[in-house]
Amino acid sequence: RNLLLPDGVPPERQWARFYIKIYRAEGLPRMNTSIMANVKKALIGENKDLVDPYVQVVFAGQKGKTSIQKSSYEPLWNEQIIFTEMFPPLCKRIKIQIRDSDKVNDVAIGTHFIDLRKISNEGDKGK
């Protein structure tokens, strides 16, 4: 109740669910940043640059992610990530990042931001 709100944001806001649907990715680069993968290439001559992609979504300080698709350059998820947040949200964009899962350190393959003002109408309902 003691929150400072920007101009135009009503003091009484309702809780809402935000559904982010992740369908698929195409044309991912062939890469592998794992040190062990490089050692394996050197020792046994395996030359596969495997990608184990997943999608991470960040919205209003919350994180969600899809399942990991092993060894896929055109992964198909058909999954949704659900966030619960006040409406209208104070956050103005959603960060969507496709990442390569790795045992040591996950690596970002690509990042995109969705501006909520471009996909929602003005007004109480936001439709």
Side-chain angles (χ1 to χ4, degrees):
R1 294 226 161 234
N2 200 13
L3 181 66
L4 295 175
L5 296 172
D7 285 341
V9 176
E12 297 296 324
R13 298 185 301 151
Q14 297 293 320
W15 286 100
R17 286 194 178 138
F18 295 83
Y19 294 84
I20 313 298
K21 294 185 179 182
I22 307 296
Y23 293 105
R24 66 181 184 182
E26 296 175 348
L28 297 181
R30 299 188 185 279
M31 59 187 274
N32 196 338
T33 58
S34 167
I35 294 170
M36 289 308 293
N38 291 331
V39 170
K40 190 174 180 182
K41 282 182 195 178
L43 293 177
I44 63 172
E46 184 178 296
N47 195 18
K48 287 187 177 180
D49 294 327
L50 304 176
V51 178
D52 300 326
Y54 68 93
V55 175
Q56 177 178 285
V57 180
V58 180
F59 173 66
Q62 304 173 64
K63 284 184 184 179
K65 69 179 193 174
T66 65
S67 60
I68 297 169
Q69 299 295 313
K70 295 286 187 185
S71 306
S72 179
Y73 298 107
E74 294 193 354
L76 180 64
W77 288 283
N78 283 329
E79 297 178 23
Q80 68 181 6
I81 299 169
I82 303 170
F83 296 107
T84 302
E85 180 60 36
M86 299 293 275
F87 185 84
L90 297 179
C91 179
K92 298 295 181 197
R93 64 185 189 170
I94 299 170
K95 178 182 176 182
I96 298 178
Q97 192 170 61
I98 189 160
R99 301 178 65 85
D100 180 20
S101 178
D102 191 79
K103 291 179 182 175
V104 178
N105 187 26
D106 292 1
V107 176
I109 297 172
T111 303
H112 184 74
F113 293 93
I114 298 176
D115 186 346
L116 292 177
R117 293 170 291 191
K118 292 185 178 180
I119 62 171
S120 178
N121 289 334
E122 298 293 327
D124 294 338
K125 302 292 183 199
K127 293 182 180 179

